Amino acid sequence: QYRGVVSIRIVGHTDLSGSRHFNQWLAGKRAESVKLRLLSLGVDPRTLTVSSRVGGGRNVAIDVVVRVPVK
């Protein structure tokens, strides 16, 4: 069901409140939780990369690259 997926980049974010160290940890935890969920759904772990960023809000960004066959 995930054929054609080349890569999935997961980036956890936090806002700027709190210490930088805590925010970096929290952003990483957010991204890792999404990664675990995708793995539980059968996504190939070789396609996943995880990173974290302080700033940018309280969210997780997911970029998916899919290879589309040319006809």
Side-chain angles (χ1 to χ4, degrees), residues 21-44:
H21 178 75
F22 176 77
N23 283 333
Q24 194 69 39
W25 172 83
L26 181 58
K29 292 294 280 183
R30 286 180 175 152
E32 283 294 325
S33 69
V34 171
K35 175 185 173 182
L36 291 174
R37 180 65 177 139
L38 291 174
L39 290 172
S40 76
L41 294 171
V43 172
D44 183 346

Side-chain angles (χ1 to χ4, degrees), residues 4 9 12-13 16 28 38 43-44 63 66 71:
R9 184 177 61 158
H13 293 99
L16 297 174
L38 291 174
V43 172
D44 183 346
D63 297 319
V66 179
K71 294 183 180 186

Side-chain angles (χ1 to χ4, degrees), residues 1-68:
Q1 110 187 11
Y2 300 106
R3 278 181 285 182
V5 173
V6 175
S7 66
I8 301 173
R9 184 177 61 158
I10 306 164
V11 183
H13 293 99
T14 61
D15 59 20
L16 297 174
S17 64
S19 73
R20 183 160 186 80
H21 178 75
F22 176 77
N23 283 333
Q24 194 69 39
W25 172 83
L26 181 58
K29 292 294 280 183
R30 286 180 175 152
E32 283 294 325
S33 69
V34 171
K35 175 185 173 182
L36 291 174
R37 180 65 177 139
L38 291 174
L39 290 172
S40 76
L41 294 171
V43 172
D44 183 346
R46 296 173 295 177
T47 65
L48 299 174
T49 58
V50 175
S51 63
S52 57
R53 294 208 177 111
V54 175
R58 300 175 182 174
N59 60 49
V60 176
I62 303 171
D63 297 319
V64 180
V65 176
V66 179
R67 182 179 306 120
V68 178

